Amino acid sequence: DRADSLTEVPTGNCALESAEIPSQVGALNDAAPPPRPPHVLVVEDTDVCARLVRMQLRKLGCTSARAENGEVALDLLRATPPGTYGLVLMDLRMPVMDGF
C-alpha cells in the first residue's frame, strides 16, 4: 500500500562508523574560509538613495564606493585593477549616462 511505504523508516546503512567521524571533522577544519563579501560600486545620482543602499550594504558586511552616473562609473572601473569591484549596482535613470 502506498500510504504504508511513505511512513516506513529505512533501516541499515544509516550509522556512521566511529573511525569515519575524526576524518570528517578534520576535513571541515581544513576547509577554505568563507568568501569575503564583495566590494560594490553603487552608481546612483540621488544622494539619499545612494546613502540608503550603501548603509544596507554595510549591514551585509560589504564595502562600497559611489559613482554619480554611468560615465563616472566607467572611469572608476577603467582606473582600478580588474576584480576590484565584485558587483555594480546601477540606477537605470541618471543624467550623463544611465543604466540603459
Side-chain angles (χ1 to χ4, degrees), residues 19-44:
E20 292 178 46
I21 295 172
S23 64
Q24 290 175 352
V25 171
L28 290 175
N29 290 337
D30 294 338
R36 290 182 8 196
H39 184 56
V40 180
L41 178 58
V42 177
V43 188
E44 172 60 62

Side-chain angles (χ1 to χ4, degrees), residues 45 68-71 93-98:
D45 60 321
E68 295 79 22
N69 61 59
E71 186 176 46
R93 297 186 185 187
M94 294 178 291
V96 183
M97 182 186 287
D98 60 22

